Amino acid sequence: MSDLLFLPAPPRGQSGLRWIVVLSVVLVAASALFPVPELSSVRFLGVGLALWLSALAWFAPRRLRYTLQDDALLIQTLFSVTRLPTRHISAWRTRGGLGLKVGGTGLAGYYTGYYTFNADEIKTVMAASSNTSDGVIVQAEGKAYFLTPADPDAFLEELARRGARVRP
């Protein structure tokens, strides 16, 4: 078998949040055009923050991916890669969704870190997803991961082919 890449599902229903990010970046950048000498350092920090947030919102979702190797699942986010051996994985589709963010990132189309989760008898999950619902739970090494592959059924079928326990 060879490595098989699964991209995350396209973000749904998050256009409002994206517009808020874009509008805030435009407003901060526009504030640099108005000369107020006593606010120059604050303005510099604001523009820097706006540029950093823009870069994060642009690049982070493009780095999210799930790769199935012969013996492991790789979960790639902007700053990390998690490797889970498939023989230790239990996986299933879930109707549950992410709750409150305990720690991590929550941008439109990019949710990573720990979130509360109140479905499937799970209290918290490690998210690496493009949406907050309609995902797949992958349990391994004492943790539950919430993933949103574009084709969840094909993802689960391939996990089963590579030795994971997949629940219907």
Side-chain angles (χ1 to χ4, degrees), residues 15-27 50 53-55 57-58 106-108:
S15 61
L17 186 55
R18 287 180 186 199
W19 280 110
I20 290 172
V21 170
V22 169
L23 183 60
S24 63
V25 169
V26 167
L27 287 174
L53 182 60
S54 299
W58 178 258
L107 295 170

Side-chain angles (χ1 to χ4, degrees), residues 105-128:
T105 305
L107 295 170
Y110 186 76
Y111 301 92
T112 61
Y114 286 98
Y115 284 78
T116 60
F117 193 82
N118 290 314
D120 304 325
E121 299 178 13
I122 297 173
K123 300 294 180 204
T124 60
V125 293
M126 173 62 91

Side-chain angles (χ1 to χ4, degrees), residues 3 9-10 12-13 24-25 36 46 50 56 59 61 66 79 83 109 122 126 129 133 146 150 159 163:
D3 291 0
R12 293 183 318 272
S24 63
V25 169
V36 180
L56 185 64
F59 289 112
Y66 319 114
F79 298 114
R83 185 179 190 278
I122 297 173
M126 173 62 91
S129 64
S133 62
F146 180 80
L159 268 175

Side-chain angles (χ1 to χ4, degrees), residues 20-135:
I20 290 172
V21 170
V22 169
L23 183 60
S24 63
V25 169
V26 167
L27 287 174
V28 170
S31 71
L33 300 175
F34 300 103
V36 180
E38 58 272 3
L39 295 178
S40 61
S41 61
V42 173
R43 187 173 345 155
F44 176 74
L45 289 174
V47 170
L49 180 62
L51 291 174
W52 182 82
L53 182 60
S54 299
L56 185 64
W58 178 258
F59 289 112
R62 286 160 178 71
R63 295 283 305 196
L64 183 62
R65 60 193 68 232
Y66 319 114
T67 305
L68 284 172
Q69 296 180 325
D70 291 339
D71 63 343
L73 165 64
L74 298 181
I75 303 168
Q76 182 179 346
T77 62
L78 182 62
F79 298 114
S80 71
V81 176
T82 301
R83 185 179 190 278
L84 305 173
T86 51
R87 67 182 181 278
H88 297 150
I89 289 176
S90 179
W92 65 91
R93 299 253 339 231
T94 183
R95 296 287 175 219
L98 298 179
L100 296 174
K101 179 174 52 172
V102 178
T105 305
L107 295 170
Y110 186 76
Y111 301 92
T112 61
Y114 286 98
Y115 284 78
T116 60
F117 193 82
N118 290 314
D120 304 325
E121 299 178 13
I122 297 173
K123 300 294 180 204
T124 60
V125 293
M126 173 62 91
S129 64
S130 57
N131 290 297
T132 59
S133 62
D134 296 327

